[in-house]
Amino acid sequence: MLLTAPKKLGITFILCFFAVLINLHPVSLFSGAELVFGNIIAVAAVLLLGLKAGLTICLLASFATYMNWQHFLLILPFTLEVISIHLSTKLKRSPLTVGLIYWLTLGLAIVALEYYQYSGYTDATRNAIIMKYMINGVINISLGYVLALVVSHFIDKKPLHKLNLPHLISLFVFIAVTLSVFTNAYFWLKENQSNKLAQFNKSLEVDATHVAYNINSMIMSTLNSLKLQEAHVKNTNSNSLKEQILAKTAELHPQILTMLITDVEGKIVNTYPADFMKKISGSNKEIYVTDRDYFTKAKETSLSYISDVFKGRGFGNDPIVAISTPILVNDIFNGIIEASLNLNHLVELDKKVISPEQALLILDRSNRVVYSSITLSYKFLQNLNDSELLSHLADKKNYYVINQYNQHYITQSQNIKELGWTTISMVPRAVYEVEIAKTAQKSVLLLIISIVIFLIIAKKLANHIAKPLSDLTEKLQSASTNSQFHLLKLDTPSSILHETDLLIPTINHFSSQLARTLSSLNDSLLAASDANTKLEALNNELTSRVEQQTKALSDALTEAKGANKAKSEFLANMSHEIRTPMNGILGTIQLLQQANPDAESADLLEKALYSSKALLALLNDILDLSKVESGKLTIETIDFDFNTVIESVKDSVAFIANAKDVTLSVELEPSYYPFWQGDPYRTRQILINLVSNAVKFSPNGKVIISLGCASNGNLTFNVSDNGIGMSQQSVQKLFQRFEQADNSTTRKFGGSGLGMTITHSLVELMHGTISVKSEEGVGTTISVNLPLVRCKSKQIIKPQQPDSELPDLSNYSILVAEDNRINQTIFLSILKRTKARILLAENGKQAVEYFSKEQFDLVFMDIQMPVMDGIEAFKLINNINPNIPVIAVTANTMKEDIKRYMTLGFFSHIAKPIELEALYSTLKQALITNNN
């Protein structure tokens, strides 16, 4: 029939209805895993009606599944399944093959990522669900493909795919085996679930009954002993004998904490231990228990009494139940004999029969907590009358209960009739789920292996049956295409198909007859010779091309080396060009900070200063990365105090830590040693990168720096946080350039992705190791081990602290050579505060002219200037007066540049952007040297 657009639309909506209906009734495989077969219709629709119809059906069916599952995790893999089937038709490939490849690669990866990222299942459950999806997808594609093949013959459409005999046999066996093995595995798994749950419940029931029996036995045996001893107590007036009776009873019942005997007025006359009254009263005065239930109830009823559980008040603070029996003389109340049982002994009944996570809960007759395993989070004497737990025990609508702490448990209970108590044995639902998931995982894995094995067998069988016919067809087609029937000679092995064995001799006879009528032997030999000649020419041409390609590769390598050098020079120039305007920004901010701004302005200036330094840190990261790549980064070896490094790091990150409400602490292990020989600047750079990262990704959290020494004496430190954490895949790319654990972190937290790369490179240059342990949602710990050499504290020369005091230079003249207008303004503003006489030169040539005409006490010389640079100007000035301190002012902060300036004879250097404290210290040193 002809499918018009309205008919096509109508069929699509009908198929949507059936797909939604199928997905609303999923086939439960095990807890947390269900099979949905609505995409069978979506796969068939995309083959028959096109991509739009297939996607529409898939999305609507997936929404129906959302109504059951309350998550959209299946939409992406099933939608891409439909798209992959559509691509197979465009590429003229087998939809079945493309679909299977999709589920074995991309589909499997997407499902794994979704369930490990967004689900709270255990690993075993996740693995089983992931394999379940693969089986679900294979069934959807297989049945959808078969459905489309069948339906395509009933509409005005060419057959979707003409199958050859091997493919037809393989497809039939594949679908038959898949469905049969899956059906068998499904019913076996359901039976296993039922048996395992029954086993869990029976074990819990036995445990609850056992605990109930022991509790009842403990309390009732104590009560019976009291009744037995009452007859002895009332027949003797000897306090010594009464105390012996109490001691003997306590010896027979280790759970007894204290015992006492009262007279008719409630006065305690005898106790166990014998000095009990003195301990609780602190003196020998008389003590009455007339306010205690175990006395008043026994007196009122003349019957034995078991109290509610309470916390000890007279002898310790243990949970106690009091048991009393009246002393009756001629049926007249004459006092009581009472025993207090220590319920701490209940912990001995908390056996882990099923699993280490098994728990025990004991409730008294008022449904208050008498005993609770530590893992249950219940409080002593907590009232559970309105709890979900008791509702579940009264009416079990599900096989597990969710308590008030959102904990899932499978429970069984037993009532102690004589006491009215309830014992509840519990095991986390996850224990049962893990066992079922492991079973399901094995079952699904066995299913996959079975399908693969049977598919291979089916393919072999199909090839064996159909190969002779396929070979015959292929050779006949080749002969027809090349018009070489006369050369055709079939040597196909014997086939189990009788028709094939009859056809082959007939064709061979025809071929031999045709060959005898042709005299093409000489032409064939000439053609072969010509072919050899062409092949030799082709071989020579190929050799020439290989040589050309080799030369091209060599040239490309030379160009790459040149490009790398150009990159390094470019980064150095860019460093200078960026640092020059940054000098104006930082200088302005520092000057404004010294102008006594109001609180709000001071805060804004502090933030601006922090942001500017962060930009400089990024620039330094880029330069360091360039040094690492070019092999120019060097590591110093000097004595230093690691405690000083730690304090510097804490000061550096304090601002951002306070802004993010992050608690930063340092923990010293017993093995920690502070004095080392190495590169303190690079060690600080490693540590500050790790701590900054930890603070960045731990908002409102805490960061801990742990310091110690390894067993081989190396310095070790760990940086731990309780931040967002990382997946294992993210950890693997953590140290790659311009990479972060997740692209979304760049948008949320910022960062260039260079810090960890440089950190890793610095650790390697110092011959150390760095490792990462992380869990998403829990946090990250990064450990560094550096093979530094220990030194002693007396070897360490403490670095001079920057001098923040403004020097008074009223009688001094200073020459400043600076070409940048903004930097001139900044320099003047800074130096005018010293009251010195300042003269500005706009280039090196002008500076030399000024210096030759006037007397100066100090010269600040910018290195890069027009007309004449700072190096040339310094040489000329040094020739005029070599005793005048000349300070290099430069944006070139690479170590080799600084070393070059000092070798030329500069007194010192100041890096742009200029730090005021560094400038003031350098000024004082230079003037002291000049005066000497």
Side-chain angles (χ1 to χ4, degrees):
M1 69 179 169
L2 183 61
L3 288 181
T4 61
K7 287 183 179 180
K8 194 173 181 180
L9 184 61
I11 292 173
T12 300
F13 279 110
I14 293 172
L15 294 178
C16 281
F17 170 79
F18 283 107
V20 169
L21 188 63
I22 292 172
N23 273 13
L24 284 175
H25 298 84
V27 178
S28 177
L29 189 60
F30 59 95
S31 180
E34 295 177 321
L35 298 171
V36 288
F37 297 114
N39 248 39
I40 293 175
I41 295 178
V43 169
V46 76
L47 291 171
L48 296 170
L49 304 175
L51 180 61
K52 290 183 180 179
L55 283 178
T56 301
I57 295 170
C58 175
L59 293 174
L60 289 177
S62 297
F63 181 79
T65 306
Y66 169 76
M67 304 300 292
N68 285 336
W69 293 0
Q70 295 300 306
H71 66 69
F72 290 101
L73 296 182
L74 87 165
I75 293 181
L76 180 59
F78 279 4
T79 300
L80 292 178
E81 176 188 75
V82 170
I83 294 174
S84 70
I85 297 301
H86 173 70
L87 290 176
S88 72
T89 61
K90 294 295 184 183
L91 298 174
K92 296 182 180 180
R93 295 287 188 269
S94 168
L96 185 60
T97 302
V98 172
L100 292 178
I101 292 173
Y102 163 76
W103 275 112
L104 289 172
T105 54
L106 181 60
L108 193 64
I110 291 173
V111 172
L113 178 64
E114 286 182 337
Y115 273 86
Y116 273 92
Q117 188 76 19
Y118 303 109
S119 76
Y121 297 121
T122 62
D123 288 345
T125 303
R126 288 193 187 103
N127 293 337
I129 291 176
I130 290 167
M131 287 191 288
K132 180 274 301 185
Y133 265 94
M134 186 173 67
I135 294 298
N136 202 157
V138 169
I139 294 174
N140 287 346
I141 290 172
S142 302
L143 296 184
Y145 177 62
V146 172
L147 179 62
L149 283 176
V150 173
V151 174
S152 66
H153 291 281
F154 296 94
I155 62 176
D156 186 20
K157 188 176 180 70
K158 294 180 180 180
L160 290 173
H161 186 61
K162 290 185 178 181
L163 298 174
N164 57 34
L165 186 57
H167 289 169
L168 180 61
I169 296 173
S170 299
L171 176 63
F172 176 81
V173 174
F174 173 73
I175 294 176
V177 170
T178 299
L179 292 180
S180 61
V181 175
F182 169 76
T183 303
N184 180 67
Y186 171 77
F187 285 107
W188 175 82
L189 185 59
K190 299 300 288 185
E191 180 69 20
N192 182 270
Q193 281 184 256
S194 178
N195 292 340
K196 182 61 69 175
L197 182 59
Q199 178 186 341
F200 267 59
N201 281 321
K202 187 63 179 177
S203 297
L204 292 174
E205 182 181 357
V206 170
D207 186 60
T209 302
H210 173 74
V211 173
Y213 171 82
N214 279 276
I215 293 174
N216 186 61
S217 176
M218 176 183 71
I219 293 179
M220 298 311 295
S221 65
T222 305
L223 178 58
N224 291 334
S225 292
L226 292 183
K227 288 179 179 179
L228 182 64
Q229 300 303 339
E230 181 262 344
H232 297 294
V233 170
K234 69 182 180 182
N235 292 324
T236 179
N237 292 322
S238 170
N239 284 332
S240 174
L241 183 57
K242 289 179 180 180
E243 289 177 357
Q244 291 178 15
I245 291 172
L246 294 181
K248 187 64 176 177
T249 303
E251 182 180 349
L252 292 173
H253 301 280
Q255 66 271 17
I256 293 178
L257 181 65
T258 63
M259 295 183 70
L260 58 85
I261 299 174
T262 73
D263 62 15
V264 68
E265 300 299 328
K267 183 178 73 172
I268 298 176
V269 295
N270 299 98
T271 65
Y272 169 82
D275 60 345
F276 175 54
M277 278 195 298
K278 186 174 182 180
K279 286 185 177 182
I280 61 175
S281 67
S283 66
N284 293 321
K285 67 179 182 179
E286 298 176 344
I287 300 175
Y288 291 81
V289 293
T290 52
D291 62 331
R292 307 295 173 92
D293 286 345
Y294 56 76
F295 178 83
T296 58
K297 296 292 184 182
K299 183 177 181 180
E300 291 172 1
T301 63
S302 294
L303 299 173
S304 297
Y305 175 73
I306 301 174
S307 74
D308 289 332
V309 178
F310 60 94
K311 198 169 188 179
R313 292 171 289 180
F315 192 70
N317 57 0
D318 298 306
I320 292 173
V321 60
I323 304 174
S324 65
T325 190
I327 301 173
L328 302 177
V329 179
N330 298 324
D331 295 331
I332 297 175
F333 181 80
N334 199 43
I336 66 168
I337 177 170
E338 182 267 349
S340 296
L341 272 63
N342 186 347
L343 295 185
N344 279 339
H345 290 278
L346 294 178
V347 72
E348 299 172 2
L349 301 177
D350 194 356
K351 308 293 185 183
K352 311 299 182 183
V353 179
I354 300 176
S355 165
E357 289 82 17
Q358 184 177 349
L360 177 65
L361 182 65
I362 303 174
L363 307 180
D364 67 10
R365 53 177 166 250
S366 301
N367 292 323
R368 299 180 305 163
V369 176
V370 173
Y371 173 81
S372 169
S373 296
I374 296 175
T375 57
L376 294 180
S377 304
Y378 291 110
K379 298 178 181 178
F380 178 63
L381 296 182
Q382 180 180 347
N383 194 316
L384 300 184
N385 275 317
D386 298 325
S387 66
E388 287 291 333
L389 177 61
L390 292 185
S391 300
H392 172 75
L393 294 176
D395 182 17
K396 293 185 177 181
K397 297 180 180 179
N398 203 343
Y399 74 90
Y400 62 89
V401 63
I402 304 176
N403 64 17
Q404 61 183 331
Y405 303 103
N406 198 32
Q407 298 169 326
H408 295 213
Y409 282 94
I410 302 173
T411 63
Q412 288 293 332
S413 64
Q414 182 66 40
N415 185 260
I416 307 174
K417 294 182 180 179
E418 290 84 353
L419 302 176
W421 290 16
T422 304
T423 60
I424 305 171
S425 186
M426 316 169 73
V427 68
R429 173 190 174 195
V431 175
Y432 165 74
E433 298 283 10
V434 166
E435 289 202 22
I436 294 301
K438 288 179 179 177
T439 303
Q441 187 175 340
K442 293 177 182 177
S443 177
V444 175
L445 185 59
L446 181 61
L447 173 61
I448 294 171
I449 294 173
S450 300
I451 291 172
V452 172
I453 292 174
F454 279 104
L455 183 60
I456 294 172
I457 294 173
K459 187 175 181 181
K460 294 286 185 182
L461 179 62
N463 288 337
H464 180 71
I465 294 173
K467 190 175 188 308
L469 186 58
S470 298
D471 291 345
L472 176 60
T473 304
E474 182 180 348
K475 290 182 178 180
L476 287 174
Q477 286 179 339
S478 175
S480 176
T481 302
N482 299 325
S483 299
Q484 292 182 340
F485 281 105
H486 60 288
L487 298 178
L488 183 62
K489 182 172 179 61
L490 301 177
D491 55 353
T492 307
S494 177
S495 171
I496 62 175
L497 297 177
H498 179 63
E499 291 78 4
T500 303
D501 287 342
L502 291 177
L503 185 60
I504 290 173
T506 303
I507 295 174
N508 281 335
H509 178 70
F510 169 77
S511 175
S512 62
Q513 289 290 338
L514 182 61
R516 282 194 293 267
T517 63
L518 300 174
S519 57
S520 58
L521 182 57
N522 291 330
D523 294 336
S524 298
L525 291 174
L526 291 174
S529 177
D530 183 61
N532 287 334
T533 302
K534 291 181 179 179
L535 181 61
E536 184 178 357
L538 181 61
N539 185 49
N540 293 334
E541 183 181 354
L542 182 61
T543 302
S544 175
R545 289 186 178 182
V546 169
E547 291 175 352
Q548 292 175 1
Q549 291 294 326
T550 303
K551 185 177 183 304
L553 286 174
S554 177
D555 293 341
L557 179 62
T558 303
E559 290 178 4
K561 291 180 179 178
N564 187 52
K565 180 180 178 182
K567 181 195 73 173
S568 299
E569 294 176 353
F570 170 76
L571 287 175
N573 290 333
M574 286 304 298
S575 169
H576 178 272
E577 294 301 322
I578 294 173
R579 286 178 178 275
T580 298
M582 281 301 299
N583 183 55
I585 297 171
L586 271 176
T588 302
I589 293 172
Q590 293 177 95
L591 289 171
L592 290 174
Q593 283 182 320
Q594 293 188 348
N596 298 322
D598 57 47
E600 181 178 0
S601 298
D603 181 62
L604 291 174
L605 289 171
E606 180 67 24
K607 290 178 179 177
L609 184 63
Y610 175 81
S611 298
S612 299
K613 290 184 176 181
L615 180 58
L616 281 176
L618 176 60
L619 177 62
N620 289 333
D621 282 349
I622 295 172
L623 290 176
D624 283 345
L625 182 62
S626 174
K627 292 179 185 178
V628 170
E629 291 181 340
S630 61
K632 294 181 178 179
L633 188 66
T634 57
I635 300 297
E636 290 186 344
T637 302
I638 61 174
D639 299 330
F640 69 99
D641 183 352
F642 195 70
N643 290 336
T644 305
V645 173
I646 292 295
E647 291 301 319
S648 173
V649 170
K650 288 174 62 178
D651 292 342
S652 298
V653 301
F655 181 82
I656 187 172
N658 292 335
K660 287 182 171 286
D661 196 20
V662 174
T663 302
L664 180 62
S665 61
V666 178
E667 294 180 356
L668 303 181
E669 296 177 4
S671 62
Y672 173 65
Y673 183 81
F675 308 115
W676 301 90
Q677 190 178 83
D679 192 330
Y681 172 76
R682 296 303 178 184
T683 305
R684 177 185 181 276
Q685 189 176 1
I686 293 170
L687 188 57
I688 200 168
N689 281 347
L690 298 181
V691 176
S692 298
N693 255 20
V695 170
K696 183 192 300 182
F697 296 108
S698 306
N700 304 314
K702 61 181 180 180
V703 174
I704 300 174
I705 306 172
S706 301
L707 309 177
C709 293
S711 57
N712 59 2
N714 291 352
L715 172 65
T716 63
F717 51 86
N718 302 330
V719 178
S720 303
D721 66 70
N722 61 350
I724 63 175
M726 295 177 286
S727 66
Q728 190 59 37
Q729 183 180 5
S730 300
V731 169
Q732 291 176 355
K733 66 177 184 178
L734 179 63
F735 300 117
Q736 297 178 13
R737 289 189 306 173
F738 307 108
E739 287 278 353
Q740 290 199 347
D742 189 328
N743 289 336
S744 62
T745 60
T746 305
R747 296 190 296 270
K748 183 174 180 181
F749 297 98
S752 64
L754 289 177
M756 295 306 295
T757 304
I758 294 169
T759 298
H760 185 263
S761 299
L762 291 176
V763 171
E764 286 189 335
L765 283 173
M766 299 171 84
H767 305 291
T769 60
I770 182 168
S771 60
V772 183
K773 292 182 180 179
S774 185
E775 184 177 352
E776 289 181 279
V778 176
T780 301
T781 297
I782 299 182
S783 303
V784 176
N785 184 309
L786 297 179
L788 304 182
V789 177
R790 296 193 180 197
C791 68
K792 297 182 179 179
S793 58
K794 62 183 180 181
Q795 296 177 235
I796 297 173
I797 301 175
K798 293 186 177 180
Q800 185 175 356
Q801 296 297 323
D803 192 349
S804 59
E805 183 179 355
L806 182 69
D808 184 359
L809 309 177
S810 304
N811 300 319
Y812 292 88
S813 295
I814 299 175
L815 175 61
V816 176
E818 172 62 61
D819 64 303
N820 186 279
R821 296 288 184 179
I822 296 176
N823 288 340
Q824 288 177 357
T825 303
I826 296 299
F827 245 118
L828 284 175
S829 299
I830 294 173
L831 295 177
K832 278 184 177 179
R833 297 166 58 85
T834 66
K835 300 179 184 180
R837 171 178 170 266
I838 311 299
L839 184 62
L840 277 173
E842 294 187 352
N843 54 61
K845 181 179 180 182
Q846 192 175 79
V848 173
E849 292 174 355
Y850 288 165
F851 192 86
S852 61
K853 296 177 181 178
E854 299 185 37
Q855 294 291 326
F856 294 96
D857 301 292
L858 182 66
V859 178
F860 285 100
M861 182 68 68
D862 187 19
I863 297 301
Q864 292 190 357
M865 290 184 294
V867 184
M868 181 185 290
D869 63 26
I871 300 295
E872 189 64 24
F874 163 76
K875 292 178 179 178
L876 296 175
I877 289 175
N878 196 50
N879 288 333
I880 297 173
N881 187 349
N883 297 320
I884 295 298
V886 180
I887 300 172
V889 182
T890 176
N892 299 328
T893 59
M894 292 188 177
K895 186 176 180 180
E896 55 269 25
D897 293 328
I898 303 302
K899 184 177 181 180
R900 178 186 171 212
Y901 304 149
M902 302 306 293
T903 303
L904 287 172
F906 281 88
F907 172 80
S908 183
H909 81 281
I910 295 178
K912 292 181 181 179
I914 297 172
E915 294 279 353
L916 293 186
E917 293 178 349
L919 177 63
Y920 293 157
S921 295
T922 304
L923 271 173
K924 290 184 177 180
Q925 293 173 13
L927 293 176
I928 291 172
T929 302
N930 195 26
N931 290 334
N932 292 336

